């Protein structure tokens, strides 16, 4: 892994210091405070195990399990009742947001932090709505992860209130836009959907006319109706909307813009 502003990032070996803490702030030997228990969830086992090694070097933290999918995460949270869950968001099957919702339903006291390896301007809002305490990038330094675990365990906010509110406004706007697009797509007739499917499959206008039993002029009329209903200016834009919202499954956009419908 790389170094981030001089700090170790997740997956990079950490050298032990005199008190066995990766941060240099380990508990005094005489302290008998109960360690903070942590459940790690990541479908990349190497990443999860590297994070486990890093956290286990902290005297006040104890990793109880490393799960590799959402189903195992929910089962492990029920079994171990961890104080903090570090949850990968992108996993096959049950994703991290759904796993977070289920964990919070069975254990509202568990603090969940979403780990994301991708830039997504809506992820913070989605994480908070799922019940998570917040979001961490996988590229952040190990010290940041350790600090975040301690803070959420103490019940402290890890994001500025204004940052969360802005993220939620962006997500609400996105959902409003998506709702409007879905409403426009619902106005398409079965015949217009067939035309979009044929276009996405890479068929030429002549092939579509023959396949659907219509004249070239009728095909052009239907195509223009699609553009008007969807409020777009090109066949490419119409296809992107239809594919993104599940109206069209097949995808072959090669040369679509150049075809004369």
């Amino acid at each position: 892994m790389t170094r981030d502003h001089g700090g170790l990032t997740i997956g990079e070996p950490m050298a032990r210091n005199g008190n066995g803490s990766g941060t240099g702030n380990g508990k005094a030997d005489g302290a008998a405070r109960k360690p903070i228990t942590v459940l790690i969830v990541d479908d990349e086992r190497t990443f999860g195990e590297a994070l486990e090694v890093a956290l286990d070097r902290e005297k006040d933290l104890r990793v109880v399990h490393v799960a590799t999918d959402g189903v195992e995460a929910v089962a492990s949270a029920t079994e171990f009742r961890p104080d903090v869950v570090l949850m990968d968001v992108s996993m096959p099957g049950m994703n991290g947001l759904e796993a977070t919702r289920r964990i919070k339903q069975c254990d509202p006291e568990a603090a969940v932090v979403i780990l994301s390896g991708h830039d997504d301007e809506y992820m913070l809002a989605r994480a908070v709505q799922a019940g998570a305490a917040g979001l961490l990038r996988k590229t952040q330094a190990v010290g940041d992860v350790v600090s975040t675990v301690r803070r959420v365990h103490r019940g402290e906010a890890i994001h500025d209130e204004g940052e969360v509110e802005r993220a939620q406004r962006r997500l609400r706007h996105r959902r409003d836009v998506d709702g409007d697009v879905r409403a426009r797509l619902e106005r398409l007739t079965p015949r217009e959907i067939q035309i979009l499917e044929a276009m996405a499959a890479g068929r030429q206008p002549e092939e579509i006319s023959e396949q659907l039993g219509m004249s070239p002029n009728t095909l052009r009329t239907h195509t223009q109706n699609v553009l008007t209903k969807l409020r777009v200016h090109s066949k490419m834009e119409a296809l992107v909307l239809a594919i993104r919202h599940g109206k069209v499954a097949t995808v072959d956009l090669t040369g679509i813009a150049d075809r004369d419908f």
Side-chain angles (χ1 to χ4, degrees), residues 2-20:
T2 59
R3 290 182 179 270
D4 180 18
H5 303 295
L8 292 164
T9 56
I10 301 169
E12 185 175 359
M14 298 177 64
R16 287 187 179 273
N17 59 18
N19 62 20

Side-chain angles (χ1 to χ4, degrees), residues 36-57:
I36 301 168
T37 54
V38 182
L39 169 64
I40 297 171
V41 186
D42 199 294
D43 64 327
E44 295 182 21
R45 182 173 293 278
T46 301
F47 179 91
E49 291 177 348
L51 184 54
E52 177 185 22
V53 170
L55 296 188
D56 274 343
R57 291 181 183 274

Side-chain angles (χ1 to χ4, degrees), residues 157-175:
I158 59 174
H159 297 284
D160 178 80
E161 185 176 345
E163 178 187 6
V164 175
E165 290 178 353
R166 288 190 295 273
Q168 290 176 329
R169 282 198 299 271
R170 287 195 299 269
L171 181 58
R172 284 195 297 268
H173 176 71
R174 169 65 181 271
R175 286 175 173 169

Side-chain angles (χ1 to χ4, degrees), residues 67 177 180 201 208 212:
V177 170
D180 180 60
I208 298 175
L212 300 181

